[in-house]
């Protein structure tokens, strides 16, 4: 099944959501809540909460404020806005036969348009950072011929699949052949 990326609207800027979680944890630290309870409520790992609590106790709430991205992105916000305009044109406008944006196709567009090289995983992370989400189609293809599928399932599939059960007595295990003891006792 093909995955496709679509733009979603988020009330948060990139990185703002994580900072909001950490600041909620600070409020919970001040109330005296336990790490496991905070982790469960915020849907994060207990290790993260432990790390946040340690930083908070040593340096205060400033320690949990966002410090920005770890590295400069290859595409600036201005260039990403250009990329978004290209993505909104659709894959067909860029030479693909269908309307599905995959990470590898977006990687190709970035290479052609900006002469920058991303990995497929890097493209997926870039898109998620800017509010795009990966989605799988919910419906079947329009071109699907239900009569042909039903005919194939009725005629061809049984020949390909073969019988489920053995016609002769044998082992009940699918992976272990009959034992020699059973063969000597029940010829």
């Amino acid at each position: 099944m093909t995955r496709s990326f679509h733009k979603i609207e988020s009330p948060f800027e990139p990185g703002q959501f994580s900072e909001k979680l950490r600041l909620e944890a600070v409020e919970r630290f001040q109330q005296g809540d336990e790490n496991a309870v905070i982790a469960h409520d915020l849907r994060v790992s207990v290790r993260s909460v432990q790390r946040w609590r340690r930083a908070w106790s040593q340096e205060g709430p400033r320690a949990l404020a966002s410090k920005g991205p770890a590295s400069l992105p290859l595409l600036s916000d201005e260039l990403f806005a250009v990329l978004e305009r290209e993505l909104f044109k659709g894959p067909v406008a860029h030479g693909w036969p269908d309307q599905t944006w995959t990470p590898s196709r977006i990687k190709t567009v970035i290479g052609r348009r900006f002469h920058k090289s991303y990995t497929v995983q890097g493209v997926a992370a870039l898109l998620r950072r800017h509010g795009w989400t990966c989605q799988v189609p919910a419906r079947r293809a329009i071109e699907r011929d239900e009569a042909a599928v039903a005919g194939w399932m009725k005629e061809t599939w049984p020949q390909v699949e073969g019988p489920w059960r053995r016609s002769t007595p044998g082992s009940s295990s699918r992976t272990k052949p009959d034992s020699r003891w059973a063969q000597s006792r029940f010829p």
Side-chain angles (χ1 to χ4, degrees):
M1 205 172 282
T2 305
R3 295 177 185 202
S4 179
F5 279 89
H6 300 277
K7 176 73 172 165
I8 58 169
E9 296 303 321
S10 171
F12 303 105
E13 290 294 319
Q16 194 179 26
F17 182 73
S18 300
E19 183 177 12
K20 183 178 180 290
L21 279 179
R22 291 190 301 268
L23 295 178
E24 284 183 36
V26 167
E27 292 176 14
R28 303 287 296 274
F29 297 155
Q30 292 169 343
Q31 295 172 6
D33 291 349
E34 293 183 14
N35 291 345
V37 174
I38 297 170
H40 179 267
D41 292 348
L42 297 180
R43 295 182 180 169
V44 297
S45 69
V46 175
R47 298 256 319 190
S48 292
V49 175
Q50 290 169 344
R51 195 174 59 248
W52 297 344
R53 186 182 292 268
R54 191 175 326 111
W56 172 72
S57 65
Q58 292 172 354
E59 302 174 40
R62 284 191 333 259
L64 299 178
S66 177
K67 294 168 183 68
S71 63
L72 293 175
L74 292 176
L75 290 181
S76 65
D77 289 339
E78 294 81 24
L79 289 180
F80 189 82
V82 173
L83 175 63
E84 274 189 320
R85 286 194 295 273
E86 294 296 322
L87 296 178
F88 286 130
K89 289 178 184 175
V92 174
H94 291 277
W96 283 284
D98 60 12
Q99 288 292 335
T100 305
W101 275 124
T102 62
S104 60
R105 288 181 179 182
I106 297 171
K107 174 185 185 287
T108 303
V109 170
I110 292 171
R112 287 179 187 165
R113 182 76 169 86
F114 306 107
H115 304 288
K116 302 214 182 263
S117 179
Y118 269 89
T119 63
V120 173
Q121 295 86 357
V123 169
L126 172 73
L127 294 171
R128 279 192 305 273
R129 216 174 14 251
H130 286 277
W132 288 68
T133 181
C134 180
Q135 301 196 349
V136 179
R139 294 184 290 272
R140 295 182 189 263
I142 295 172
E143 301 86 10
R144 182 178 166 118
D145 182 2
E146 292 296 333
V149 171
W152 187 89
M153 291 292 287
K154 185 176 182 181
E155 297 169 16
T156 308
W157 179 247
Q159 296 170 5
V160 173
E161 179 67 13
W164 278 92
R165 298 198 180 265
R166 297 165 96 173
S167 57
T168 60
S171 173
S172 62
S173 170
R174 293 182 182 167
T175 58
K176 183 178 177 187
D178 298 340
S179 68
R180 291 182 193 215
W181 179 82
Q183 289 174 355
S184 66
R185 296 279 183 184
F186 307 104

